[in-house]
Amino acid sequence: MQLRFVGCGDAFGSSGRLNTCFHISGRTANFLIDCGASALPALKRLKIDRNEIDLILITHFHGDHFAGLPFFLLDAQFSRRTRPLTIAGPEGIEARLAQVMEALFEHSSKTKQRFELNIVALAPEQSRSFGAVTVTPYPVVHGESGGPFLAYRVEAEGRTLAYSADTEWTGALIPLAHGADLFIAEAYMYEKVVKNHLSLKTLEQHLPAIGAKRLVLTHMSDDVLSRLGDIEHLAAEDGMVLVL
């Protein structure tokens, strides 16, 4: 399988990076994790075929992870998509999606799609399979508004991918990413501990217990991006491709 960082930035576009959106594709799997506000133009720039995407996993309802969905769905409608699409995320996703559709494009939430659209609410620590992709959500800590907040452990084609989503340190990250082939982890701050976000130094303290085979950092603020030359871990960049 292949992972492409369509966008790996924070909510403020630090260093010009785009909002969070990861594309994973393989022999049978083809899905997105998160769909931030900048996702559609980024997908088009990278020439990723949106019509081949079967599943979009949403970690939470902040705009830099969720607000690209109205654009994605309207593009699918007007490009005459016929392939079914599933959007899965935290409890309340169906209502929240309708709200953001109406906020950005009035009456769009009531438009009958040309394609089959399934909206699925995921419960923490309850695995769910979508074709060749099995998803296990874990609850994480990222404030009060914009939640519930989920991190994902995803198994497909014999590989395991874990993504912390946006969160401060929580013990749930250990089972989430334990032994994973790749752990995508937020490193919003370098050393300073701030509420609702993870610092690199805090993450490093727990890496032995997590035991992931590979680590890549994402959702970095300028505090981290300004020190990349001193950081030994791989840092994501928009457009970067990793083979799982």
Side-chain angles (χ1 to χ4, degrees), residues 70 73-78 97-98 101-102 105-117 119:
L73 291 174
L74 285 176
D75 177 70
Q77 181 79 337
F78 288 115
L97 179 57
M101 293 287 291
E102 287 303 307
F105 299 100
E106 189 176 8
H107 306 309
S108 63
S109 70
K110 302 176 180 64
T111 301
K112 181 174 175 55
Q113 305 291 343
R114 299 177 187 274
F115 55 94
E116 180 183 343
L117 177 63
I119 311 296

Side-chain angles (χ1 to χ4, degrees), residues 62-132:
H62 287 160
D64 56 320
H65 295 257
F66 178 63
L69 284 178
F71 303 100
F72 188 99
L73 291 174
L74 285 176
D75 177 70
Q77 181 79 337
F78 288 115
S79 65
R80 298 186 177 275
R81 178 188 177 111
T82 57
R83 192 182 185 95
L85 175 67
T86 297
I87 299 175
E91 190 69 37
I93 187 170
E94 187 169 10
R96 295 298 291 267
L97 179 57
Q99 290 169 3
V100 75
M101 293 287 291
E102 287 303 307
L104 297 183
F105 299 100
E106 189 176 8
H107 306 309
S108 63
S109 70
K110 302 176 180 64
T111 301
K112 181 174 175 55
Q113 305 291 343
R114 299 177 187 274
F115 55 94
E116 180 183 343
L117 177 63
N118 301 298
I119 311 296
V120 178
L122 300 174
E125 299 182 58
Q126 294 186 20
S127 298
R128 184 77 178 257
S129 292
F130 302 94

Side-chain angles (χ1 to χ4, degrees), residues 4 10 26 29 31 34 43 45 53 69 97 107-108 112 157 169 172 176 179-180 186 205 208 224 240:
R4 171 163 273 175
D10 59 8
F31 62 99
D34 278 338
L43 288 164
R45 183 180 303 161
I53 293 168
L69 284 178
L97 179 57
H107 306 309
S108 63
K112 181 174 175 55
E157 300 185 12
W169 173 256
L176 166 81
E186 180 193 38
Q205 294 173 18
V224 176
M240 187 171 80

Side-chain angles (χ1 to χ4, degrees), residues 32 95 110 130 151 155 181 190:
L32 297 180
K110 302 176 180 64
F130 302 94
E155 298 171 77
D181 293 290
Y190 181 76

Side-chain angles (χ1 to χ4, degrees), residues 136-138 151-153 160-164 172-178 180 183:
T136 305
Y138 286 79
Y152 290 125
R153 183 179 178 96
T160 301
L161 167 70
Y163 171 42
S164 71
L173 296 180
I174 295 176
L176 166 81
H178 186 70
F183 180 29

